[in-house]
Amino acid sequence: MRKETSTNALNEKMMIDTCGMSASLAVIGGRWKPSILCRLSYGTMRYGELKKDIVGISERMLVAQLRELEKDQIISRVVFPEVPPRVEYNLTDLGRTMKNMLTAMSDWGNMYRTHIHQTEGLVVEEPVNSL
């Protein structure tokens, strides 16, 4: 856990408060959030579906990332009063406004990857997580 009054934490807060791109990256940044958001952009998913669909993510990390996205009001978590409990995740109205941004980022990333691979003489693979 990080001290909230550290220089690093204060600098980060200042950047988020004054720069829209920093605010966006604070919400969607990291290794797993783009994968989660990509899958939820297609519709509601249960926890188990997300876990199975996102290869390599640990349960601990999936739970942490889902909680952060929920705290940031990007996704909603719906718990059904059943036995065994059923939990579903979906994008909120605010989260759905990110779709164009995420699509643009995916398109740019695919173009960049193709460019780099071509300049390095590598074989280009088809995009994996395009929205």
Side-chain angles (χ1 to χ4, degrees):
M1 189 146 114
R2 187 167 81 180
K3 186 176 172 184
E4 294 201 20
T5 57
S6 70
T7 302
N8 189 30
L10 294 173
N11 287 342
E12 180 182 30
K13 182 178 178 352
M14 189 267 306
M15 288 293 297
I16 291 169
D17 289 346
T18 60
C19 176
M21 190 178 304
S22 292
S24 297
L25 290 173
V27 173
I28 65 166
R31 179 180 300 168
W32 301 108
K33 286 181 184 177
S35 293
I36 293 167
L37 293 170
C38 175
R39 280 149 183 89
L40 291 179
S41 72
Y42 293 106
T44 300
M45 292 185 78
R46 294 177 69 176
Y47 174 85
E49 294 172 314
L50 285 166
K51 174 73 174 95
K52 186 169 76 173
D53 208 32
I54 303 173
V55 177
I57 193 168
S58 68
E59 289 192 30
R60 180 176 179 244
M61 185 54 66
L62 179 57
V63 168
Q65 299 295 277
L66 289 168
R67 284 183 181 157
E68 285 182 28
L69 289 166
E70 186 179 13
K71 178 185 73 71
D72 290 334
Q73 301 176 24
I74 303 302
I75 66 170
S76 65
R77 178 178 185 262
V78 180
V79 181
F80 294 88
E82 301 172 354
V83 176
R86 178 170 51 118
V87 179
E88 293 181 347
Y89 294 90
N90 56 49
L91 292 176
T92 62
D93 289 340
L94 180 61
R96 282 189 285 283
T97 66
M98 300 172 83
K99 184 144 183 168
N100 290 338
M101 174 186 65
L102 295 170
T103 299
M105 289 176 67
S106 179
D107 291 345
W108 187 88
N110 290 328
M111 179 276 307
Y112 175 76
R113 186 176 52 228
T114 299
H115 172 79
I116 293 300
H117 286 210
Q118 287 173 344
T119 59
E120 294 175 352
L122 300 174
V123 176
V124 179
E125 295 183 19
E126 288 297 313
V128 176
N129 284 335
S130 291
L131 294 177

